């Protein structure tokens, strides 16, 4: 997404840390979808950061595109892919300016991709357009009532009703708001209120 210079500097400083700050294990909700994934499918991991989810998708035999706006994060994703002996396509870009592929992906993973309200509709609309008929969206994010969030940050968090509105053209397979215990590197630890969505584009 389009970010201010201070936001860009923050993410670059964070991702230049030699440690994988969000860990190298994939998101647990994404792992739960493994029975739905078949080798040869095309997958998109957006806001993929250091690559933990995109690399996992590639390890399942999916042709994967990993997208993030941080050059430092993309370099770490490439290293993680090499360590796992898989290859995937990397795009380092602003999602608001990216030329989104149309009807290309069997799976889109949007894991903790928190968008400013004025950008959310555009990106979510592009997710829908990028899915093939029958394609799946797997989304997990912080709920708008997640504890500890400032008022400004909370506006980038989601609820089931908001996601139902944004993705009303998709068939909802699962939708929930729940408390989970995060163990995803030093930046995602402990109890969190999250929203989860599994949706499918109509054939």
């Amino acid at each position: 997404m389009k970010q201010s210079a201070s936001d860009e500097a923050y993410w670059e400083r964070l991702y230049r840390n030699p440690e994988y700050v969000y860990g190298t294990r994939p998101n647990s909700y994404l792992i739960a979808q493994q029975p739905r994934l078949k080798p040869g499918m095309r997958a998109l991991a957006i806001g993929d950061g250091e690559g933990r989810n995109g690399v996992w998708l590639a390890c399942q035999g999916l042709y994967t595109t990993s997208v993030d706006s941080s050059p430092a994060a993309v370099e770490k994703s490439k290293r993680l892919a090499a360590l796992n002996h898989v290859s995937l396509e990397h795009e380092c870009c602003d999602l608001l300016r990216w030329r989104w592929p149309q009807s290309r992906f069997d799976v889109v993973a949007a894991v903790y991709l928190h968008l400013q309200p004025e950008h959310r509709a555009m990106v979510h609309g592009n997710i829908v357009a990028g899915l093939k008929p029958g394609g799946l969206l797997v989304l997990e994010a912080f709920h708008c009532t997640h504890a500890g969030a400032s008022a400004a940050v909370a506006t980038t968090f989601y609820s089931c009703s908001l996601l139902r509105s944004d993705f009303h053209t998709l068939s909802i397979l699962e939708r929930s708001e729940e408390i989970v215990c995060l163990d995803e590197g030093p930046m995602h630890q402990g109890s969190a209120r999250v929203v989860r969505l599994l949706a499918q584009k109509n054939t």
Side-chain angles (χ1 to χ4, degrees), residues 21-23 26-28 52 112 140 182-189:
V21 295
Y22 291 104
N27 172 260
S28 61
R52 64 193 179 100
Y112 294 100
E140 180 173 299
L182 292 177
D183 183 17
E184 300 182 335
M187 293 294 290
H188 270 183
Q189 290 291 323

Side-chain angles (χ1 to χ4, degrees), residues 3 13 37 53 98 145 170 177:
Q3 302 178 77
R13 284 196 303 271
L37 307 179
N53 296 308
W98 189 39
T145 61
L170 302 182
E177 297 174 358

